[in-house]
Amino acid sequence: MTERISSVETIDVRFPTSRHRDGSDAMNPFPDYSAAYVVLRTTAGAEGHGLVFTVGRGTEIQVAAVRSLAGMVVGQPVDELVADPGALARRLIGDSQIRWLGPEKGVVHMAAGGLVNAVWDLAARRAGKPLWKLLADLTPEQLVAQVDFRYLRDALTRDEALELLRAAADGRAERERRLLAEGYPAYTTTPGWLGYDDEKLARLCVEAVAAGYDLIKLKVGGDLADDVRRMGIARRAVGPDIRLAVDANQIWGVPDAIGWMRELSPFDPYWIEEPTSPDDVLGHAAVRRALAPVKVATGEHVHNAVMFKQLLQAGAVDVVQIDACRVGGVNENLAILLLAAKFGVPVCPHAGGVGLCELVQHLAMFDFVAVSGSTDDRAIEYVDHLHEHFVDPVRLRGGRYLAPTAPGMSAEIVAGSLAAYRFPDGPEWATAATPVPAATS
C-alpha cells in the first residue's frame, strides 16, 4: 500500500531561559527559548521532525498556525512529498485564505516553514543522509526546481541559478572532504547577552578565545554608557586581534543607529547587526553608507526571499544572516543562498535559539559544498544553550562546527525533554514559580 502521512503532531515546548537572562538583548530582556515542535508520522511508522523557534508567550499562536496548515499534509503520499518538497511548499504558502494573513510573512509563513522542514527531515532520514549531504547530492536542475523564482527573476533567474550551481560543481568532492575533516567556522554570542554582569562577560570572552573563536558578538542598545563600558571590557579581555561584532536587535531608528555606533567605533566593531527595523531596506543602506568600513548584518527577522532580494539590490547589507525557522523552510532558504551567491555577499547564519544551531548548520554546510564554495568571511552563530535536549546535537571543536553525519535535519528533541518542558503541563512548568512577566525594559 502507498505510504502516506498519517498525522501531524504539534507541541508547545518552552525552556525557562529568562530565569538566568540567557538570550537577553535590548528588545528581548526576558526570553524563554521555545518552539512549536512538529512531528510528521507516516503509515509505515517513519517520522519527520521540524520546529518553529519562539521566545515564550505567543508560542501557542504559532502552534495554532501549524495546526491550521496540517490538513494539507495529512494523507499525502510520502514518496511524492520527499521527491518534491517544493510542491508542498508552494501549496502551503499559496493557500489563498491562510496567505491572506501574511502574505508570505509572520506566523503563518513560519508555520509553513516548520512543516516544510519536517518533510525535508523525513526525506533525509529515508535517504540515510544528513540534510546538508542530501541537498549537496542533488543536481543543479533538481535544486533550482525547488526554488520559486516568481518574485526573484529581476535579480536572479533560473538560468543564472543553474550557472552558479554548475560552476560550483568543480571541487565539490574536495570541499565535502574538507568539511568532514575540518568542520565549518563558528562565531559565538555566548558571552554577550545584555543581562550578564561585567565579570561574567569578561570571563566568557576569555573562555571563548581559548576555545578557538576569532569572532565574538555582544548585544548592545540598552544604555550607551553601559555599551561603552561593556565593549571596553570585552576588547581588553580578547585583545586587538579578535573580531567583536555587535547586535542591536532592531532597537534603534536610523539616526540613532549611526550616532550610537560612532560612539562604539573606538572598539573596532566588525559588524552591526539589525541596527534598525528589519523591514527598512533604505534605512539599512543609509546606516551602511554612514558607518563603513563597519559591516551591516541582518536577516534573522527578514520575512522572505523578496526582502533579501531588495536588501541585496539596494546595497544595504554586507552580511546575510539566514534563519532556519523565519522564512518558509529549506526551499526559501535555498533561494536566499542563491541570491547571496549572485551578489557576492557572505552568509553568516543566525542561530542560538533552541534548535536553530542544529537546523541551520545544514544550510551553511550545503552552501559551502554546492553553492558559494567558500567559508571566507563566513561563520555560523553558536550559543551554548539547550543542545542537550536534542537527539543529534551540534558538535564543535576548536571554534568550528563538525558536520552532522546522522540522517535528517538534526531537529528531533529528546522525548524526555518534550515531556518535561511541554507548556503548560510539563513538570518543569507545572511546578515552577510564577513565570517572569512581560517586560519592556
Side-chain angles (χ1 to χ4, degrees):
M1 294 180 64
T2 300
E3 184 183 10
R4 297 181 182 274
I5 301 296
S6 58
S7 67
V8 175
E9 183 180 14
T10 312
I11 302 169
D12 183 336
V13 56
R14 309 186 192 186
F15 299 91
T17 51
S18 63
R19 296 173 188 171
H20 300 287
R21 303 295 300 277
D22 297 335
S24 53
D25 59 55
M27 277 291 199
N28 304 283
F30 294 102
D32 285 320
Y33 278 0
S34 309
Y37 182 63
V38 181
V39 184
L40 308 181
R41 293 187 174 88
T42 80
T43 52
E47 294 182 352
H49 299 256
L51 58 87
V52 184
F53 171 64
T54 55
V55 292
R57 292 185 304 111
T59 306
E60 69 277 6
I61 301 171
Q62 191 63 71
V63 167
V66 173
R67 289 173 178 165
S68 74
L69 293 171
M72 300 175 69
V73 182
V74 173
Q76 294 297 309
V78 172
D79 286 343
E80 293 180 16
L81 281 181
V82 301
D84 185 13
L88 173 67
R90 289 188 290 273
R91 289 199 302 272
L92 293 173
I93 293 167
D95 178 89
S96 64
Q97 295 186 9
I98 297 297
R99 186 178 186 275
W100 183 266
L101 302 177
E104 298 182 37
K105 60 177 67 71
V107 172
V108 292
H109 199 51
M110 294 164 70
L115 288 163
V116 169
N117 285 349
V119 169
W120 279 104
D121 181 69
L122 176 61
R125 287 165 180 261
R126 282 167 61 94
K129 300 177 181 181
L131 179 68
W132 68 264
K133 172 66 171 168
L134 175 70
L135 292 171
D137 285 347
L138 296 177
T139 66
E141 292 76 15
Q142 289 172 317
L143 286 167
V144 297
Q146 292 300 306
V147 175
D148 185 351
F149 288 94
R150 174 173 42 174
Y151 298 138
L152 307 180
R153 292 189 188 101
D154 56 320
L156 176 72
T157 66
R158 179 184 180 276
D159 287 345
E160 288 174 325
L162 280 172
E163 287 180 20
L164 285 167
L165 292 165
R166 288 168 179 164
D170 290 341
R172 183 184 293 192
E174 172 59 19
R175 291 193 296 274
E176 183 175 323
R177 185 200 65 76
R178 281 180 52 200
L179 175 66
L180 289 168
E182 302 171 8
Y184 192 101
Y187 79 89
T188 183
T189 309
T190 296
W193 300 117
L194 211 56
Y196 288 175
D197 62 35
D198 292 353
E199 183 280 328
K200 188 171 185 178
L201 166 64
R203 173 173 54 82
L204 292 176
C205 282
V206 171
E207 290 175 2
V209 175
Y213 296 100
D214 63 3
L215 174 58
I216 297 169
K217 189 170 78 182
L218 272 62
K219 300 293 183 173
V220 296
D223 177 86
L224 180 55
D226 285 346
D227 286 348
V228 169
R229 187 189 73 256
R230 293 172 64 252
M231 284 290 285
I233 291 168
R235 179 54 73 196
R236 288 190 294 274
V238 304
D241 299 326
I242 298 296
R243 295 171 296 170
L244 286 177
V246 294
D247 183 359
N249 291 94
Q250 318 156 35
I251 194 70
W252 300 319
V254 171
D256 304 309
I258 294 168
W260 202 295
M261 284 302 299
R262 284 176 174 161
E263 295 296 319
L264 300 183
S265 63
F267 304 103
D268 190 22
Y270 180 64
W271 78 49
I272 172 58
E273 181 174 331
E274 288 200 312
T276 191
S277 165
D279 299 343
D280 191 351
V281 174
L282 298 182
H284 277 81
V287 171
R288 182 172 181 254
R289 287 192 300 269
L291 296 181
V294 176
K295 300 178 186 295
V296 168
T298 197
E300 70 182 85
H301 283 87
V302 172
H303 301 302
N304 51 46
V306 176
M307 290 292 299
F308 279 101
K309 177 190 76 169
Q310 293 176 79
L311 286 162
L312 291 163
Q313 287 174 317
V317 62
D318 298 286
V319 180
V320 165
Q321 295 178 304
I322 60 171
D323 183 283
C325 298
R326 173 62 58 179
V327 298
V330 169
N331 297 75
E332 193 163 19
N333 269 313
L334 291 179
I336 297 163
L337 290 171
L338 288 165
L339 282 165
K342 161 72 182 295
F343 283 85
V345 175
V347 176
C348 293
H350 169 249
V354 60
L356 295 184
C357 295
E358 278 71 20
L359 270 62
V360 86
Q361 62 179 333
H362 290 273
L363 300 175
M365 293 174 185
F366 157 73
D367 176 72
F368 168 56
V369 173
V371 184
S372 70
S374 175
T375 58
D376 293 345
D377 296 321
R378 291 164 166 83
I380 307 169
E381 184 173 19
Y382 177 70
V383 177
D384 190 16
H385 300 318
L386 306 174
H387 303 294
E388 68 274 15
H389 299 293
F390 285 82
V391 172
D392 183 28
V394 293
R395 299 171 298 135
L396 279 88
R397 183 178 64 213
R400 300 176 74 90
Y401 277 79
L402 302 182
T405 56
M409 198 178 180
S410 309
E412 184 177 0
I413 295 179
V414 173
S417 296
L418 285 176
Y421 292 95
R422 184 176 184 132
F423 189 87
D425 54 341
E428 292 291 337
W429 289 105
T431 61
T434 303
V436 174
T440 57
S441 63

